[in-house]
């Protein structure tokens, strides 16, 4: 397929983008963009979109200046080790927050799955930045993890900005830490390593100061006139060597620090579901239903029976019935039951 030339490209913050194709203006963006343009959707389309949103997906619209042309359903499944990441921070009594520009329903579902109680949705880049500044004004240290253009200001403002592999260049340039592998648990590992390193530094400073406070005055003869106590130069050299060995040995303990080197997967419960469908009349109908269901994430082994008027499939607990129903009805058929 050949690329289409777009003229007069324009980005509208918090809304979407626009451009001219063949002399006609087109827009791609969210529901706020529809409201700004005064474009409304028919009831059936609104119902289908609500089903997708309630299932945890995001919806992007393509419109001209007066009508909606199409909509796109975007679903980004959670990384399996994200559960372990949040769990690790909770065990270390580190508060986690989710800041997202997604819709409220999408944000709520993701936060619920991850066990995050504090989250904010429909945020603009400056909203995220202001939240981080407010936390810092309260005397808190903030770690920000992000991967997009909209996160660059927040990553720069945070005390520690963490960028993920494959992030936009502008986001990576704002980061203090960049993960080289697609393993979210490395964020928690970095926290453990940094905490252990600071603890190690404090221990080494403590023993170095104690050593110098006690031995240097004795070696200099400060206590000799009163107590006849002193240290010969040879013994001082030996003690200095022992001090250096202790400091280096203590630092080497970081090499045996236990961290999570494997991606820990959340147990996925595979379920078989049967969808009762009305309106299928031929093999073309069954093919359309099967194609719509197979396009969903976390769905496999789809079989559609024209004789039994139903579809069977395997899915996990992340695929809601509302999402399955919306997929079938988007193909032009009616769902009577899901079991």
């Amino acid at each position: 397929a050949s690329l289409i030339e777009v003229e007069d490209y324009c980005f509208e913050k918090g809304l979407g983008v626009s451009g001219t194709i063949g002399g006609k203006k087109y827009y791609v963006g969210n529901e706020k963009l529809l409201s700004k343009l005064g474009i409304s959707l028919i009831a059936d389309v609104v119902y289908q979109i609500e089903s997708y949103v309630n299932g945890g997906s995001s919806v992007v619209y393509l419109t001209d200046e007066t009508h909606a042309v199409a909509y796109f359903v975007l679903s980004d499944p959670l990384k399996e080790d994200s559960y372990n990441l949040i769990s690790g921070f909770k065990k270390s009594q580190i508060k986690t927050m989710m800041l997202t520009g997604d819709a409220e329903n999408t944000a709520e579902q993701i936060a619920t799955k991850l066990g995050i109680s504090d989250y904010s949705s429909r945020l603009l880049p400056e909203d995220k930045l202001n939240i981080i500044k407010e936390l810092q004004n309260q005397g808190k240290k903030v770690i920000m993890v992000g991967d997009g253009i909209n996160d660059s200001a927040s990553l720069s403002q945070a005390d520690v900005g963490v960028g993920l592999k494959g992030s936009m260049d502008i986001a990576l340039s704002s980061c203090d830490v960049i993960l080289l592998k697609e393993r979210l648990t490395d964020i928690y590992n970095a926290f453990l390593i940094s905490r252990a390193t600071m603890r190690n530094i404090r221990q080494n400073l403590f023993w170095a100061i104690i050593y110098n406070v006690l031995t240097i005055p004795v070696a200099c003869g400060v206590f000799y006139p009163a107590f006849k106590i002193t240290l010969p130069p040879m013994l001082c050299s030996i003690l200095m060597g022992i001090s250096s060995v202790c400091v280096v040995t203590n630092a080497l303990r970081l090499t045996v620090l236990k961290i999570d080197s494997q991606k820990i997967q959340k147990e996925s419960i595979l379920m078989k579901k049967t969808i009762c469908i009305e309106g299928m009349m031929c093999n073309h109908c069954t093919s359309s239903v099967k194609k719509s269901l197979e396009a969903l994430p976390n769905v496999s082994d789809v079989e559609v029976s024209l004789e039994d008027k139903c579809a069977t499939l395997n899915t996990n607990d992340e695929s809601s019935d509302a999402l399955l129903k919306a997929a079938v009805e988007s193909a032009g058929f009616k769902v009577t039951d899901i079991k």
Side-chain angles (χ1 to χ4, degrees):
S2 59
L3 298 176
I4 300 175
E5 184 177 353
V6 178
E7 300 176 342
D8 302 324
Y9 173 84
C10 179
F11 169 71
E12 297 187 53
K13 185 170 60 176
L15 298 176
V17 298
S18 62
T20 303
I21 301 176
K24 190 173 182 178
K25 191 83 168 181
Y26 290 95
Y27 302 84
V28 176
N30 55 24
E31 66 276 6
K32 291 181 181 179
L33 179 64
L34 293 183
S35 300
K36 179 181 178 181
L37 297 174
I39 296 175
S40 58
L41 305 174
I42 61 175
D44 289 346
V45 173
V46 172
Y47 173 76
Q48 291 178 3
I49 290 173
E50 287 179 349
S51 298
Y52 286 120
V53 172
N54 291 334
S57 300
S58 300
V59 178
V60 177
Y61 303 90
L62 169 65
T63 76
D64 55 25
E65 295 183 289
T66 57
H67 298 89
V69 178
Y71 66 86
F72 306 92
V73 180
L74 308 178
S75 179
D76 188 13
L78 293 174
K79 292 183 179 294
E80 293 171 336
D81 54 354
S82 58
Y83 303 93
N84 189 54
L85 171 65
I86 301 302
S87 176
F89 278 125
K90 283 185 176 180
K91 291 178 181 178
S92 299
Q93 297 182 336
I94 302 298
K95 182 179 179 180
T96 55
M97 300 175 61
M98 185 177 72
L99 308 179
T100 178
D102 290 339
E104 172 67 21
N105 288 340
T106 303
E108 182 181 8
Q109 290 220 6
I110 293 175
T112 301
K113 292 173 183 177
L114 292 177
I116 300 175
S117 58
D118 193 350
Y119 67 92
S120 299
S121 59
R122 298 183 183 276
L123 297 180
L124 297 175
E126 56 265 32
D127 296 328
K128 298 180 182 180
L129 180 62
N130 290 334
I131 290 175
I132 290 176
K133 287 182 177 179
E134 182 179 349
L135 291 171
Q136 291 174 327
N137 290 336
Q138 296 172 6
K140 298 177 180 178
K141 300 296 183 182
V142 180
I143 301 174
M144 171 70 182
V145 182
D147 63 353
I149 296 176
N150 291 338
D151 298 324
S152 57
S154 300
L155 288 167
S156 179
Q157 176 64 36
D159 296 283
V160 179
V162 180
L164 306 179
K165 180 183 178 181
S167 301
M168 300 293 293
D169 289 343
I170 188 172
L172 294 179
S173 64
S174 306
C175 294
D176 303 292
V177 178
I178 300 175
L179 302 186
L180 300 181
K181 297 181 180 180
E182 295 181 355
R183 193 167 57 198
L184 291 181
T185 47
D186 283 344
I187 300 171
Y188 183 61
N189 291 339
F191 165 74
L192 293 178
I193 292 171
S194 63
R195 187 172 64 175
T197 300
M198 292 304 300
R199 183 171 60 245
N200 199 296
I201 290 173
R202 293 188 187 99
Q203 291 170 351
N204 287 343
L205 285 174
F206 172 79
W207 289 112
I209 291 173
I210 290 296
Y211 167 82
N212 287 287
V213 167
L214 293 179
T215 59
I216 290 180
V218 177
C220 292
V222 173
F223 300 107
Y224 184 78
F227 304 101
K228 304 299 181 181
I229 298 175
T230 186
L231 292 174
M234 186 63 69
L235 181 59
C236 290
S237 299
I238 293 173
L239 290 175
M240 181 60 73
I242 293 174
S243 173
S244 299
V245 170
C246 291
V247 169
V248 172
T249 303
N250 190 36
L252 288 174
R253 291 193 305 116
L254 292 173
T255 61
V256 296
L257 179 67
K258 292 184 179 180
I259 61 175
D260 175 21
S261 60
Q262 301 294 327
K263 180 186 288 186
I264 297 179
Q265 299 182 351
K266 177 178 179 283
E267 183 180 359
S268 181
I269 302 174
L270 200 63
M271 297 181 293
K272 186 172 184 178
K273 290 192 176 184
T274 301
I275 308 172
C276 300
I277 305 170
E278 287 185 358
M280 295 190 299
M281 305 297 294
C282 61
N283 290 331
H284 177 72
C285 297
T286 58
S287 177
S288 298
V289 171
K290 184 174 182 179
K291 186 178 297 185
S292 296
L293 291 172
E294 287 179 337
L296 296 176
N298 308 311
V299 170
S300 61
D301 302 326
V302 179
E303 297 292 339
V304 183
S305 172
L306 180 61
E307 180 180 354
D308 297 330
K309 305 295 183 183
C310 68
T312 58
L313 54 88
N314 288 325
T315 183
N316 61 23
D317 55 355
E318 293 184 359
S319 296
S320 66
D321 289 350
L323 194 60
L324 296 174
K325 182 178 181 181
V328 174
E329 295 188 346
S330 67
F333 306 97
K334 183 179 179 181
V335 174
T336 58
D337 190 20
I338 299 179
K339 52 188 177 182

